[in-house]
Amino acid sequence: TSAMNGDNAIDIAKHWDAGETGCGALIMGLKRAIGQIRGGELLQVTARDSAAPIDLVAWCQMTGNALVSEDHPIYVLQKRDD
């Protein structure tokens, strides 16, 4: 699938809708979802929790995965190459 990022379409390997989950539940689900794709691939996350912008940025910094785009509630992460 692809998503629009400005004028460029980007290929999304997996979509995960986290709904209203936040904090620990968001992080555990995120770890599970990103574990289902290969290094370098993109995961699109829909996270409606108000703390999601903070939680996702912090998680990416801690794990070495990249936050490619954020437009709450839609986030695109790139899994790090292991």
Side-chain angles (χ1 to χ4, degrees):
T1 0
S2 64
M4 296 306 291
N5 183 8
D7 291 332
N8 302 323
I10 54 176
D11 290 326
I12 303 294
K14 179 172 178 58
H15 292 82
W16 177 55
D17 189 343
E20 300 289 338
T21 60
C23 204
L26 175 63
I27 298 307
M28 292 306 293
L30 183 56
K31 183 177 178 186
R32 188 169 41 254
I34 209 160
Q36 297 173 358
I37 64 174
R38 294 188 299 268
E41 289 186 328
L42 300 176
L43 170 67
Q44 181 176 312
V45 178
T46 303
R48 294 173 190 83
D49 183 73
S50 61
I54 297 164
D55 292 342
L56 291 174
V57 168
W59 184 82
C60 285
Q61 290 173 342
M62 289 187 304
T63 61
N65 296 293
L67 182 59
V68 175
S69 70
E70 60 176 305
D71 185 13
H72 187 73
I74 306 295
Y75 302 85
V76 177
L77 287 68
Q78 183 175 34
K79 184 175 181 176
R80 73 170 190 255
D81 284 320
D82 288 328

